Amino acid sequence: MVVCGDDGLAHRLAAELRGVYREQVTLVVPPSGRRVRQPVVGRARAASAALRDMVNAAVNRTGNSDAAGGTGGTGGPGRELEATEPTEDVLADAGVERATALALVYDDETNIRAALTARRLNPRLRLVLRLYNRRLGQHIEELLDQSAALASGGGPGSGSGSTTVLSDADTAAPALAATALVGTSKVVETDGLLLRAVERNPPRPGEVADPGLCTLALLSATSNDPAGADGSEESGENGPQLLPDAAAVEAATGRGTVALEQVSYSGPPLPAGRAGVPAFGELFSRRLRWSLAGLAACVVALAVALMVVTGDHPLHATYVTLLDLFSINEPAHNADIGRQILQLLSGFVGLLLLPVLLAAVLEALGTFRSASTLRKPPRGLGGHVVLLGLGKIGTRVLTRLREMDIPVVCVEADPEARGMATARRLRVPVVLGDVTQEGVLEAAKIHRAHSLLALTSVDTTNLEAVLYARSVRSRLRVVLRLYDDDFATAVYRTLRAAHPRALTRSRSVTHLAAPSFAGAMMGRQILGAIPVERRVLLFAAVEVAGHPQLEGKTVGEAFRAGAWRVLALEVSDGERAEGVAPEGTRESRLVWELPDTYVLRGSDRVVLAATRRGLAELLGRRARQQSPG
């Protein structure tokens, strides 16, 4: 395996491949003096002491250290190369021509250029690219797959190398968004598939817990303890248990669960932003529309009255009324008294019409202008989410929150940030300013907010914002994006000990994304990942053929507690799985709630939930070679 990158994801991905899948990994990173971010362990050792002092001083030195974002380190032994860019010579030196898989986790342009070179060097190479631009990623994936098929002299099924385009932002955004909301499910979404995993409190005495479709995990025994560690990376007596069997679920008392409650297809996407002319209903305010309607009714009434008094034709009566309305008609000196009264009333209505027309023009101009400018937080706003940072991660989280109809107020210091266009399109209020400056969080209504998501790329900025927000509202729910694992360990437990009644979570994007990238390098279609405390549960689509742990066995026999569990069976459009799916399943490609007696065939494709080590054991190349048959 070859991993090329210039940030923490490359190091964590290499550790994942070495420690979990036991693969030989060559890591290509920039020279030490040019690295954007140093390796996780090195950076932690260099900065943790000063940062821990900052945390302890900010919360009156309450204490202990804790865990929050996953384990650090770069895994077992392996080869490491230093290179500024992944050029053809560098890729050849890394052994791409003989490698099984290559991961590229630079910026989009560098990844595309290196992928094209690597595909030429080794058509059978399995490529995994990190691309933020999803539409471009689809085109690049098709292009590289077609190139591999032509270079190998066959079609897509001729054994040519595959290409997988992933985004760490897309992988981490659902988990970050769900963590900030009470009662909101953890979700994994890909290609229209939506999986919901719900944390449930322990049942009360006499109550029977609803397992939903299945129980994915038992939460740690210390999850409700303010001084607890929010679980551990390894499963222990008190730690979280992933994919427990029925006996473990029944024996667990006083422990919360994570259940797969609902599985459905996602609805239509959000409507496109109105970059052009707004609709009439949004062009003018409701009060102004009522004013215009009232004036129009007055004109009609005056025209009807003039027609009755003078006996004129309706069109001529309307014309004369409009002349009187705009004060361009001759005075009715010699007309009867009724005509004179109507002319005076028309002139009075005309006086009322002028300010209304002026207000309409000014309001329309303001509407057009606000369509291309940022909105301010409305007065009286409350119960919203304050989102700090509109970079790659913040933009994806913002989109996810708006899809769930959650009110959001963003705070961003850079007016040219990546997510500003998305905020304008979604009409989300944005406060421009440095979050560390006084008054910025107040402008975002932090004192009435439901939760705070600190997702900037600077750890100390996120921490400072959270500490200040907690001083304003001690029970505010906060979620920090922290790059440094040792720093996250100290921050999490100290904040939790200082504010035991407030929910605190720290999340590492690389920790959430690395399992999906590693699974893709092993040749699996990873649908997504769901964090369970500090562990990660993966969802993958797997071909049954070639896996003796699955093929020829029933769903019940194929289940291994703590390792993997078959959740659904994928069927082609119009195909009917005998004994499982009823007739007329054309609208759905997945059959859920499989009976334990269903026998998995080699032609089946299943969706399963697995731990990282379970997936490595089930699908790793070495495990497959050692398996009988």
Side-chain angles (χ1 to χ4, degrees), residues 213 246 553-559 565-566 579-580 593-600:
L213 294 179
K553 296 186 177 181
T554 64
V555 172
E557 294 172 344
F559 169 53
R565 179 171 189 165
V566 176
V580 178
E593 296 184 283
L594 293 172
D596 289 341
T597 57
Y598 176 75
V599 179
L600 299 174

Side-chain angles (χ1 to χ4, degrees), residues 116 118-125 143-156 158-161:
L116 296 174
R119 178 60 76 213
R120 179 169 50 82
L121 294 176
N122 186 354
R124 296 183 180 274
L125 181 68
L143 174 64
L144 292 174
D145 284 344
Q146 183 178 2
S147 174
L150 293 176
S152 60
S158 61
S160 58

Side-chain angles (χ1 to χ4, degrees), residues 1-3 10 13-19 22-28 76-80 94 521:
M1 302 287 179
V2 180
V3 178
L13 177 55
E16 191 85 11
L17 293 171
R18 293 167 181 164
R22 306 300 178 187
E23 293 288 338
Q24 296 179 357
V25 181
T26 298
L27 178 62
V28 180
R79 184 185 177 200
E80 182 171 318
M521 291 190 72

Side-chain angles (χ1 to χ4, degrees), residues 186-331:
K186 300 175 182 179
V187 293
V188 174
E189 184 176 8
T190 177
D191 296 333
L193 176 65
L194 184 65
L195 305 175
R196 288 168 51 94
V198 183
E199 286 191 11
R200 295 178 175 174
N201 295 324
R204 297 177 180 177
E207 294 182 350
V208 179
D210 180 13
L213 294 179
C214 68
T215 299
L216 296 177
L218 293 174
L219 299 178
S220 63
T222 60
S223 60
N224 295 322
D225 181 9
D230 192 27
S232 61
E233 184 69 16
E234 300 297 333
S235 179
E237 180 180 356
N238 295 325
Q241 297 182 22
L242 302 186
L243 303 176
D245 55 18
V249 174
E250 293 179 0
T253 57
R255 298 177 66 170
T257 60
V258 178
L260 191 65
E261 185 180 60
Q262 176 184 352
V263 180
S264 62
Y265 285 90
S266 61
L270 287 174
R274 296 180 174 89
V277 179
F280 180 80
E282 297 183 1
L283 188 60
F284 304 115
S285 65
R286 181 179 181 183
R287 181 180 301 177
L288 186 57
R289 294 199 303 271
W290 278 109
S291 299
L292 291 172
L295 290 174
C298 291
V299 172
V300 173
L302 289 172
V304 172
L306 182 61
M307 181 182 63
V308 172
V309 171
T310 61
D312 285 348
H313 188 273
L315 291 179
H316 185 265
T318 303
Y319 173 70
V320 172
T321 300
L322 291 176
L323 292 179
D324 293 336
L325 190 69
F326 295 109
S327 301
I328 56 178
N329 198 10
E330 295 183 359

